[in-house]
Amino acid sequence: MARRFITDLNCDDTLATGDIHRAVHSLAPLTTTFHSRTLTPNPSNPSSDQIAQATATLTQLKDYLRTNPPVTDVLPLLARLLDEDTGVPILLGDVLRNAAHLVSQQATSPQTDEIHLIIDRLRDAAQEATDWHVLHWDIQRVSGQAFEPAGPPTTS
């Protein structure tokens, strides 16, 4: 029998959507993972090759941006990368938060100061990464701007 959890959230003007999102993700561990606004039971274990491919794709994007492409070609890529719900900031924040949780749960007791420091750093980095989701709005605003044609690639 499936369990249902219903929570009554009373929001005032100081509570932002991001706060609600973080609150939902910080609830007690669930047996499902939140992804793209749907619950996916029993997510598969990604391989290190898949993670390497993801970072290689980010490296490819970084290198592409150094070729000085037209902004209009780059904006759809950035919009996807920085999506407010499924973009890298949200995903990275969730990954780091979950990693901190795992380290906290599986570290031997009593936990050392070093383990506490690592957990705190993971949690701080998770919050910082998640805060970057606001870049999504900057990409939307820049979409309406006019740009000069792209010039030759810059050297760095």
Side-chain angles (χ1 to χ4, degrees):
M1 178 175 178
R3 292 185 188 179
R4 289 188 177 206
F5 297 94
I6 300 174
T7 304
D8 183 15
L9 295 175
N10 293 318
C11 302
D12 62 21
D13 291 337
T14 62
L15 187 62
T17 303
D19 296 324
I20 294 170
H21 179 82
R22 283 186 289 283
V24 167
H25 283 280
S26 67
L27 293 174
L30 302 174
T31 58
T32 57
T33 298
F34 187 78
H35 179 44
S36 189
R37 297 183 183 179
T38 61
L39 292 176
T40 308
N42 304 319
S44 63
N45 178 18
S47 69
S48 62
D49 287 342
Q50 289 172 311
I51 302 302
Q53 178 156 4
T55 57
T57 301
L58 289 174
T59 300
Q60 182 182 5
L61 175 60
K62 174 197 68 159
D63 294 342
Y64 172 65
L65 293 174
R66 288 184 177 163
T67 68
N68 202 22
V71 171
T72 54
D73 292 351
V74 172
L75 288 176
L77 302 174
L78 293 176
R80 190 72 179 264
L81 182 76
L82 299 171
D83 183 86
E84 66 180 328
D85 295 317
T86 60
V88 170
I90 296 298
L91 295 175
L92 181 58
D94 287 347
V95 165
L96 295 171
R97 200 170 288 106
N98 289 332
H101 180 75
L102 288 172
V103 170
S104 175
Q105 279 195 327
Q106 296 178 22
T108 58
S109 290
Q111 292 180 359
T112 64
D113 289 342
E114 185 175 21
I115 290 293
H116 284 289
L117 179 63
I118 291 167
I119 292 167
D120 289 345
R121 284 185 177 171
L122 286 167
R123 288 179 179 154
D124 289 345
Q127 184 61 52
E128 196 171 315
T130 302
D131 287 346
W132 297 342
H133 83 280
V134 298
L135 292 171
H136 167 81
W137 299 110
D138 293 329
I139 297 304
Q140 285 189 348
R141 284 195 305 275
V142 80
S143 297
Q145 304 297 314
F147 294 96
E148 296 289 326
T154 58
T155 58
S156 52

